[in-house]
Amino acid sequence: MNQPVPPSMSSLAAPRLGLPQAVVPVMFSQRAYLLIALAISLVFGLIALPTGVLPRNYATLGEATLLCINAILVFQIQFWLHFLLRYHPSAVQRWFARQSLLTDRGLRALLTAVLVTSYSLGRYYLDASLGINLDKPSITLLLTLAQVVSIVGLSCQVGIELVERSRYLASEIELLRHEQLQARYESLKQQLSPHFLFNSLSTLGGLIYDEPAAAERFVNEMAQVYRYLLRHGEQMTVPLHEELAFVRSYAYLLQMRFGEGLELHIDLPAEVLDRPLPPLALQLLVENAVKHNTVSRRHPLVISIDLAGADQLRVSNPRHPRLSPVASSGTGLSNLTNRIRLLNQQQLLVEQTDHAFCVLLPLPASIL
């Protein structure tokens, strides 16, 4: 049986503040966005009426209507461009979504300016050919007004995206609260786990009379495990060196139960030991490896913790699936994935083959 990989892990976006466009995620539906765009366009159309009609000695109803419609159209074409580049699923939309925020905004500003300028020039010459005798500015003034209108339209679009950003942050905060509560619940379950406690006490009972010295160390390591759970179980992050000390104590308790069937290898440079990561992250991965694999002297389970890159921690083990698979919902890994994503806007990755299971944890220098 495969070690469980929650479906969300393969589908989670990995927003990185300051880089991908996902920092301003799409929160409005297509229909909602188009209604907002239409409302803004109508407002500017109404604004255009007095600014275009009052300075003149006289104006017909047709001229006033034409001014209003023109203002609506010039903003509508801008919003439709943003709709196609940001909200409407297509190859172009997906390409823009992969770009940096600066590139995305810059390209959209350029395309908006070109589109508004083209529309203004086209309407200018169309009015002339149709004999529409509205007051016409010079070409230079027309081009200047086109750029002003494109800047106003882009500012409205940025405002819409800021509202989306605000809604996204509110939902992320709510999700973070939920994940914190879930993490506390999982931590509490681990602290009170009857299986872990029963197995530990059974192992201790066998050591007390046969190996008193080993029993004393076992009690000390068990105390370290529960002290860590009580002290750090509800924190957002802990230094890597503290998590490693905890995992060593936790692994020792398991090794006293499984003997030579379980090994823990840690190979990490000193310069990364102060980096932050979620508490109980490594313990969860060690627990999962033991839970879903055969642990025996014949098939030793070797769990390795090392670096896969400068900012990536690797936890790996060979796969020796149990003959009787253990049912699992994948809640632990899914919970860890979300905690990491909310902490540093990065993603936990899982690599699995027929013979090996590997989890890659982001290990940033600091939490965003």
Side-chain angles (χ1 to χ4, degrees), residues 41-333:
S41 300
L42 290 173
V43 168
F44 279 103
L46 295 174
I47 292 174
L49 281 174
T51 58
V53 174
L54 292 179
R56 308 177 64 199
N57 294 328
Y58 68 91
T60 67
L61 178 62
E63 290 173 343
T65 304
L66 187 60
L67 286 169
C68 180
I69 292 175
N70 179 65
I72 292 173
L73 288 177
V74 77
F75 279 96
Q76 274 291 285
I77 62 174
Q78 296 182 70
F79 286 120
W80 270 98
L81 175 65
H82 293 300
F83 173 77
L84 294 175
L85 297 181
R86 177 172 166 80
Y87 297 90
H88 181 66
S90 66
V92 175
Q93 186 266 347
R94 289 189 292 272
W95 184 85
F96 269 85
R98 292 193 298 268
Q99 306 310 306
S100 69
L101 185 61
L102 181 62
T103 301
D104 170 72
R105 290 266 175 83
L107 286 176
R108 282 198 281 151
L110 177 62
L111 290 173
T112 299
V114 170
L115 190 61
V116 172
T117 301
S118 300
Y119 171 82
S120 300
L121 289 174
R123 189 188 65 82
Y124 181 90
Y125 290 110
L126 180 62
D127 288 352
S129 66
L130 295 177
I132 299 176
N133 296 318
L134 292 175
D135 295 334
K136 293 184 175 64
S138 65
I139 292 295
T140 301
L141 181 57
L142 180 69
L143 295 176
T144 302
L145 288 174
Q147 304 315 308
V148 171
V149 169
S150 65
I151 291 173
V152 173
L154 184 63
S155 299
C156 292
Q157 176 62 30
V158 171
I160 292 174
E161 293 179 17
L162 287 176
V163 172
E164 290 187 300
R165 170 69 173 166
S166 176
R167 294 180 61 179
Y168 171 74
L169 288 177
S171 66
E172 287 289 86
I173 290 172
E174 184 61 30
L175 179 59
L176 179 56
R177 288 174 180 168
H178 172 75
E179 293 298 335
Q180 284 181 313
L181 291 175
Q182 182 67 27
R184 292 175 182 178
Y185 173 65
E186 293 295 331
S187 174
L188 181 61
K189 286 200 304 182
Q190 175 61 37
Q191 292 178 46
L192 303 177
S193 172
H195 294 291
F196 178 74
L197 184 59
F198 175 78
N199 291 330
S200 297
L201 293 177
S202 296
T203 303
L204 178 61
L207 293 174
I208 289 177
Y209 295 105
D210 298 332
E211 301 179 61
E216 182 179 357
R217 181 183 173 185
F218 189 91
V219 170
N220 290 334
E221 298 291 355
M222 192 171 178
Q224 292 290 345
V225 166
Y226 280 92
R227 184 179 296 114
Y228 182 90
L229 290 170
L230 293 172
R231 182 183 301 172
H232 300 300
E234 297 184 2
Q235 292 184 359
M236 296 294 293
T237 64
V238 294
L240 176 58
H241 65 86
E242 292 189 16
E243 178 76 3
L244 289 174
F246 164 63
V247 167
R248 286 190 177 96
S249 295
Y250 178 79
Y252 176 81
L253 301 182
L254 295 175
Q255 286 169 334
M256 293 302 293
R257 175 185 168 194
F258 293 107
E260 297 178 1
L262 178 64
E263 298 179 20
L264 177 66
H265 293 171
I266 299 175
D267 183 15
L268 295 170
E271 56 266 23
V272 304
L273 296 183
D274 289 325
R275 295 192 181 186
L277 80 165
L280 310 180
L282 298 181
Q283 178 270 334
L284 170 68
L285 299 178
V286 171
E287 180 185 39
N288 273 1
V290 173
K291 181 178 179 181
H292 296 282
N293 290 279
T294 299
V295 182
S296 65
R297 182 178 300 180
R298 182 179 179 184
H299 297 291
L301 180 63
V302 181
I303 301 174
S304 300
I305 302 176
D306 56 12
L307 286 181
D311 298 313
Q312 202 169 48
L313 192 66
R314 176 171 53 203
V315 182
S316 59
N317 61 268
R319 291 189 62 241
H320 301 299
R322 289 174 176 264
L323 296 178
S324 299
V326 178
S328 176
S329 62
T331 302
L333 271 179

